Amino acid sequence: MHRAVTAAAVLAPLLAVTLPPAAASAAAPYKGANTAAVQDDFNGDGYRDLVVGAPYAANGGVEEAGAVVVLYGAASSVSATRRAVITQATFGVPGEPEEWDAFGTAVASADLDRDGYADLLVGTPEEAVGSKNSRGSVTVVWGGPGGLQGGASISPPAGYGDGRTYCGFGMSLATGDMNGDGAPEVSIGSHCEGASFTGPFTRTGKPASSYREWRVGDARGVAMGDVNGDGRAERFWLPGPASDNLRGPVYVDSGPPNEDGSANWPTKLPYADGHAGQIGDINGDGYGDLVTGIADDDSVMNATGGAHRGGEIQVLYGSAQGITTAQRPKVFHQDTAGVPGTAEDGDRFGQSLSIGDVNADGYADVLVGSPGEAVGTRAYAGTAVLLRGSATGLSTTKAVGYTQNSTGVPGTAERGDQFGAAVHLADLTKDGKAETIVGIPTENSDGCLWIARGSASAPVLSGSVNLCGTSAGITLSNDTKGYFGAALTSPHIAS
């Protein structure tokens, strides 16, 4: 497939030269590395770093072992010349590369040990554990003044997945400080049940406590954030489609169960749906708002009861009371007036989503990926749609859609690229305006990212660039695509 020419106006030249993480590090931790502004600051230099999963990258001759690339932030934004490539063959990282492990299927970050540096979490849901295929694993790689070095495994709670196979532990990840002690909690989704871990973590990967969230059934998606303004994160479990609810229920976590499971039973939000979600303040009122994605419509489900044709997102607004059972979500799809595009079967609008302020107006915007969108006759070329936050909530005013055929976006829309399979909004340059980042995992053989700077009006397309997997250090084997860009730290719907 066609590879776009990069432009130095936004990013430093994308040279395929790997420098050690220390080249982008600071001598002391950046104060507040566990806050939202620098949630992904692994080396303590004050700039957020960009984590990119490439779950089908090869490791030597080991196909689809997986890799994660960390691109270190700077005033000039990220560059392939300032990077760390993490695999299960990296010194200090537990495990070993095996075929089809898919290390990097999900990624997240938080300062797990409270040392002032963010730490990297990597989900490997296809990893076999003993004789159990696709049992799954989660790895933490520790941040520090030299960047990411050393790691540990986070083990499931006792009794997790008893009697079940193909759990896929680590298929989704979320972090947030639920008890206000400054140490984040970690939530891990799977096909079996959710797992909750209370920080801080020791350097062996041991949490202060943990429990299984078996009461909501499968827990494929999870979102964490403060929706009631008390400074503590709430947790929402999104089990995914069920035989009696293809759109997927949403539960508010109420705490760990007691011995018979009767205490703290999760609260179901009866009007809400979603398969993946994220929390951010869209209307600027100081309360986090929950945005969920439901990408699978009836054509994908081969049943009745899926998402609106082509997929949808839903928004529930936070308040002093949090998000209550009486609330009905605001629904957006490509048949909503003002949303770019046209709803068509299998567009998968809502497959990925991210919340961030691209223009520094104080209202978080929402970027929605639609990797199944056809561009002309090019099926699955993909698109990403930016909806704007405002004092009245999420708005379609000034909404804009991007494809690789948009003027100023590098490259050309091609069949099967899946532009929008993952999306992310994050301020990588510390100018207060989030960059727009879109994963294109099946562009070329390796996969690519599109990155555009934020501005006072909109993402800047002129000078935006594509950064592709091989230039960022991943390796390929035979005819298997690397899927660089399949996972970013904002959520996508896990399968």
Side-chain angles (χ1 to χ4, degrees):
M1 294 183 179
H2 177 75
R3 175 163 297 175
V5 176
T6 60
V10 173
L11 302 181
L14 306 181
L15 303 178
V17 177
T18 302
L19 297 182
S25 67
Y30 181 80
K31 191 173 183 181
N34 208 32
T35 66
V38 285
Q39 178 68 49
D40 307 326
D41 183 13
F42 301 112
N43 58 9
D45 64 355
Y47 292 95
R48 294 184 71 169
D49 306 314
L50 179 59
V51 182
V52 188
Y56 297 157
N59 193 290
V62 182
E63 293 190 40
E64 299 185 28
V68 173
V69 178
V70 176
L71 303 168
Y72 289 98
S76 59
S77 192
V78 294
S79 165
T81 63
R82 299 185 306 275
R83 70 176 187 242
V85 180
I86 309 293
T87 73
Q88 288 182 299
T90 300
F91 179 78
V93 174
E96 62 183 43
E98 298 170 308
E99 284 188 332
W100 311 304
D101 273 353
F103 180 85
T105 295
V107 290
S109 73
D111 182 9
L112 300 188
D113 58 356
R114 289 193 298 188
D115 67 350
Y117 299 94
D119 307 305
L120 171 65
L121 288 158
V122 182
T124 314
E126 299 302 318
E127 181 156 37
V129 178
S131 61
K132 297 180 179 179
N133 291 331
S134 298
R135 172 75 168 181
S137 69
V138 173
T139 302
V140 54
V141 186
W142 303 108
L148 290 159
Q149 297 177 353
S153 295
I154 296 179
S155 299
Y160 167 84
D162 279 354
R164 301 184 66 179
T165 57
Y166 302 99
C167 282
F169 182 70
M171 67 190 306
S172 61
L173 305 165
T175 64
D177 182 6
M178 298 183 69
N179 56 17
D181 66 353
E185 276 60 64
V186 174
S187 305
I188 299 176
S190 79
H191 285 297
C192 286
E193 54 202 357
S196 167
F197 301 84
T198 298
F201 287 71
T202 69
R203 281 290 177 121
T204 64
K206 184 178 180 180
S209 63
S210 65
Y211 70 90
R212 298 181 296 124
E213 185 45 270
W214 48 268
R215 295 167 293 183
V216 301
D218 292 4
R220 282 176 257 187
V222 59
M224 298 178 72
D226 181 9
V227 298
N228 61 9
D230 66 354
R232 302 181 181 188
E234 283 72 51
R235 175 165 46 214
F236 297 82
W237 292 107
L238 298 94
S243 58
D244 61 344
N245 186 354
L246 295 181
R247 299 165 67 84
V250 179
Y251 292 90
V252 183
D253 185 282
S254 300
N258 57 7
E259 287 188 6
D260 65 7
S262 59
N264 304 322
W265 200 269
T267 300
K268 184 177 181 180
L269 300 178
Y271 304 114
D273 310 290
H275 298 166
Q278 192 172 47
I279 293 169
D281 187 4
I282 294 169
N283 56 10
D285 63 357
Y287 303 107
D289 309 310
L290 174 64
V291 182
T292 64
I294 316 162
D296 293 342
D297 59 18
D298 290 356
S299 72
V300 176
M301 292 285 194
N302 196 28
T304 301
H308 182 90
R309 186 182 186 191
E312 67 185 71
I313 64 168
Q314 298 187 0
V315 184
L316 287 162
Y317 293 99
S319 69
Q321 293 74 44
I323 292 174
T324 69
T325 57
Q327 290 186 62
R328 293 180 180 270
K330 178 69 173 176
V331 179
F332 296 83
H333 42 69
Q334 288 182 298
D335 280 337
T336 302
V339 174
T342 301
E344 299 167 310
D345 288 349
D347 282 347
R348 299 193 60 80
F349 182 87
Q351 165 64 25
S352 60
L353 60 92
S354 186
I355 305 176
D357 188 355
V358 300
N359 57 359
D361 65 353
Y363 305 108
D365 308 302
V366 178
L367 184 64
V368 185
S370 182
E373 176 90 2
V375 178
T377 60
R378 301 168 181 87
Y380 292 94
T383 187
V385 172
L386 181 66
L387 303 175
R388 300 306 186 91
S390 73
T392 57
L394 194 62
S395 170
T396 61
T397 301
K398 297 183 179 179
V400 61
Y402 305 102
T403 75
Q404 288 190 294
N405 280 0
S406 299
T407 301
V409 175
T412 302
E414 297 169 302
R415 180 182 180 89
D417 278 350
Q418 296 190 77
F419 183 92
V423 297
H424 190 45
L425 296 173
D427 179 12
L428 304 174
T429 60
K430 210 164 57 171
D431 66 354
K433 306 174 188 70
E435 273 68 46
T436 295
I437 303 148
V438 178
I440 325 168
T442 44
E443 170 94 358
N444 307 321
S445 60
D446 48 355
C448 301
L449 293 178
W450 173 59
I451 308 174
R453 281 186 182 273
S455 76
S457 57
V460 181
L461 304 192
S462 176
S464 65
V465 303
N466 272 10
L467 188 159
C468 297
T470 51
S471 70
I474 73 164
T475 58
L476 306 174
S477 177
N478 298 329
D479 296 325
T480 302
K481 290 179 178 285
Y483 274 68
F484 178 80
L488 301 166
T489 50
S490 292
H492 62 278
I493 294 174
S495 59

